[in-house]
Structure formats: C-alpha cells, structure tokens
Amino acid sequence: MARSCDMCGKGPRFGHNVSHAHNLTNRRWNPNLQQMRVQTASGHVKRMKVCTRCLRSGKVRKPA
C-alpha cells in the first residue's frame, strides 16, 4: 500500500461523506505521513514515510 507508515503500517481509513439529505458518497482519511531520514536499529540511515503518531511517541530515531 502506497500511503502507509513504514513503522507501524497505518494506512488510509474509509467511510462516507454524509450530506444534510443523508446522501452517502465515499471518502477516505489518509494518515499524516512525513518523509524523513531515519536511523535504523542496525545504524544505517534511510528515507522512510512515517506517521506523526510514531514521531511523537519516539518510535523514530533521527540521525545525528
């Protein structure tokens, strides 16, 4: 899946727009992804798409 977090796997969620007349049209909520350089556990630096929840919680280690 293209729009997903490389750390936790969070992807888009699907639902409906609901009008006042209760007409339902499809929509999707995309995760807030940021492309950034991340230091992996083995010490290598690579570019990853990371959601902001992983950034806030400290799952991502930025290179020095």
Side-chain angles (χ1 to χ4, degrees):
M1 195 181 328
R3 301 255 337 152
S4 63
C5 177
D6 292 330
M7 297 295 286
C8 66
K10 179 189 278 190
R13 301 287 179 241
F14 299 93
H16 294 291
N17 284 327
V18 182
S19 70
H20 186 69
H22 204 71
N23 297 326
L24 302 179
T25 56
N26 294 332
R27 67 157 295 178
R28 63 189 264 169
W29 287 268
N30 288 322
N32 188 0
L33 297 178
Q34 307 295 320
Q35 187 158 8
M36 57 183 313
R37 292 169 60 231
V38 175
Q39 187 171 4
T40 60
S42 60
H44 298 298
V45 176
K46 58 191 274 191
R47 283 195 171 274
M48 298 175 89
K49 285 185 279 189
V50 182
C51 68
T52 52
R53 173 142 320 193
C54 289
L55 285 175
R56 275 199 321 244
S57 65
K59 289 185 183 177
V60 176
R61 182 159 182 205
K62 296 180 183 179

